[in-house]
Amino acid sequence: MDGLNVSIAFFLLVVGVCQVLRWLSKRLLSPGTHGCLAREFAGSFQLCMSCLELRMLMEIGPWSGGFGLDVVLTLLFLLSAVHGSSFDGASANPTVSLQEFLLLESSLAATAAKLLAQGVGAGTGWAVTRLYWSWELTQLHFIQNLIAPECSSSIRASLPHAACVEGSCSFLFHLVLLKVRQSHPLYRVPALAATVTFLTYAAGPYTGAFFNPALATATTFHCSGSSFWDYIQVYWLGPLAGMLAALLLFQGNIPRLFQKNLLYSQKSKYKVPKAKVTTQVEDDKPQRKRKAGKSNSEPRA
């Protein structure tokens, strides 16, 4: 279990370093630069390093570290909760940034800056993690350092099946995100962490369950076994299609592209109180009859 303890210390160190980076950028940089660049860079850097170390534990741990999948999934849930609590509003996911753009919550320039920062952060996280593995602090890292240059593709299904799996994961993740994004963090963070854990458990054997183009690019695009176009279809087009489908189902439209609601009818906010009107009309009838009787009973000259 020494290897697991070293990995846990690594996770804590990564989160601590990224928190310091966020604190410094918030103090030294303008709000726009911090929100679009530094915050997304720190989030992607933290997410990529944690994901690589966790994947190493998932692949090597059961037969070399003496712990099973239940330990890794527990770590995944806890790390997802920590990420959700510490990201400070960053998404570290290109499809989430594009979703914010389509919802008119972010401009084109800000979205492009976020995508750039996410790509650079994920690439930097991959390089730093490889350097960390080269130190071979544990037997797990020694094995990982040996097999890393000969890594194989994470696509372990037919291309249409793999693209459908990544698209479905992205669809479910974005549906939950759209539902809880305005909720209190006490409810939002565990809900998203549980969703990520479930999707990783269900789809991991087929594609690795990334549903994050930046993370997948840094983690598996350099591995042999699939072409670059295969990776594009599975890890870029699949999650993008899933996000669009989730947004269309949840909103009924895509605000950036068209305003008309295609799925749900728009009901009027103001309802006519039919029962009250009917009651008033029925109450007025006897009064009208009494007035008519009085007018008929008046003597004529």
Side-chain angles (χ1 to χ4, degrees), residues 69-84:
L69 184 62
D70 55 338
V71 175
V72 179
L73 291 177
T74 302
L75 281 175
L76 175 59
F77 176 81
L78 294 176
L79 281 174
S80 300
V82 170
H83 293 336

Side-chain angles (χ1 to χ4, degrees), residues 69-145:
L69 184 62
D70 55 338
V71 175
V72 179
L73 291 177
T74 302
L75 281 175
L76 175 59
F77 176 81
L78 294 176
L79 281 174
S80 300
V82 170
H83 293 336
S85 303
S86 63
F87 273 7
D88 191 26
S91 64
N93 188 333
T95 59
V96 177
S97 298
L98 290 174
Q99 176 184 278
E100 294 172 352
F101 172 73
L102 294 175
L103 287 172
L104 305 177
E105 297 175 353
S106 178
S107 65
L108 179 61
T111 302
K114 290 179 181 179
L115 297 179
L116 176 62
Q118 289 164 1
V120 174
T124 306
W126 175 82
V128 173
T129 305
R130 289 291 300 271
L131 176 63
Y132 161 69
W133 286 342
S134 68
W135 297 344
E136 298 180 357
L137 299 179
T138 66
Q139 183 181 4
L140 297 176
H141 293 152
F142 172 74
I143 298 173
Q144 176 63 34
N145 198 39

